[in-house]
Amino acid sequence: MAIKEGLRPGGRSARVQESIHSAVRALLEEQDRASVTVPQIAARAGVTPSTIYRRWGDLSVLLADVALARMRPDSEPANTGSLRGDVRAWAEQYLDEMSSEPGRNMMRDVQSSATPGYCVTIIGGQLQTILDRYPDQPKPNVDQLINMVVAPTVFRILFAAQALEVEELHRLIDIALSQ
């Protein structure tokens, strides 16, 4: 992504970014995403279109940045008291959020971005938090959980007529945890 590193958190740049992100989110709620334009976003955010082009380059990069920001977790994964329960709770929430129309759109935006690997970092961090809670239990590693639970979930959300059923998700989790 063409986002500049080293900017002061909370400074003018952060305020501009937040106003642009807010404008994108509002416009995506009001109209079909195919009709959203950089000039509309700029007008809603109170900036010039050149501000958006200078920072993000084009609309697809901006949409991916907004999607990535929305994918960052607000809190740690639920702690149910068991590894199986924690993974199930996390996977059910992920399935529910990502199989919604906004979730599918976020996944497509991130997929078309210059940094699709960032999703693995976010998801991996969430799963590692869960695994770290149970240091004395035999368990798969993060990559195994991503390959056996997340990958089929994402594939079905993006490419099948229907997302995984929760029962099938639980079956995949059971297989992953028995490895």
Side-chain angles (χ1 to χ4, degrees):
M1 253 191 267
I3 300 171
K4 295 179 181 165
E5 299 296 328
L7 300 174
R8 292 179 311 155
R12 187 179 82 74
S13 182
R15 288 190 303 273
V16 168
Q17 178 176 323
E18 181 49 39
S19 71
I20 292 169
H21 277 219
S22 293
V24 169
R25 289 189 302 270
L27 287 166
L28 290 175
E29 288 179 16
E30 295 169 9
Q31 63 192 56
D32 181 62
R33 70 195 284 281
S35 66
V36 173
T37 66
V38 169
Q40 285 177 314
I41 295 166
R44 177 72 63 99
V47 300
T48 64
S50 64
T51 299
I52 293 172
Y53 290 121
R54 186 172 46 255
R55 184 165 185 147
W56 286 278
D58 65 31
L59 181 59
S60 66
V61 175
L62 172 57
L63 292 174
D65 188 43
V66 171
L68 287 169
R70 291 180 73 183
M71 293 178 96
R72 287 184 202 108
D74 294 331
S75 61
E76 285 195 0
N79 187 343
T80 67
S82 75
L83 175 61
R84 184 174 312 289
D86 289 5
V87 174
R88 278 186 172 192
W90 180 88
E92 288 172 11
Q93 180 179 355
Y94 184 80
L95 173 64
D96 185 53
E97 290 175 2
M98 292 301 127
S99 62
S100 68
E101 192 59 33
R104 280 187 169 104
N105 287 335
M106 283 193 315
M107 291 171 72
R108 288 182 185 113
D109 289 337
V110 171
Q111 181 184 14
S112 68
S113 78
T115 58
Y118 188 67
C119 285
V120 174
T121 303
I122 293 170
I123 291 168
Q126 291 275 285
L127 293 172
Q128 190 64 58
T129 297
I130 293 169
L131 294 175
D132 289 346
R133 289 178 186 155
Y134 306 96
D136 298 330
Q137 290 186 23
K139 58 191 167 283
N141 63 39
V142 168
D143 286 337
Q144 290 168 321
L145 283 175
I146 289 173
N147 292 341
M148 298 178 80
V149 177
V150 179
T153 302
V154 170
F155 183 86
R156 289 289 300 270
I157 289 169
L158 290 177
F159 302 111
Q162 287 189 321
L164 281 176
E165 295 291 329
V166 173
E167 295 78 23
E168 180 65 10
L169 180 65
H170 289 176
R171 193 175 77 69
L172 291 171
I173 291 166
D174 290 345
I175 293 168
L177 294 178
S178 69
Q179 299 294 311

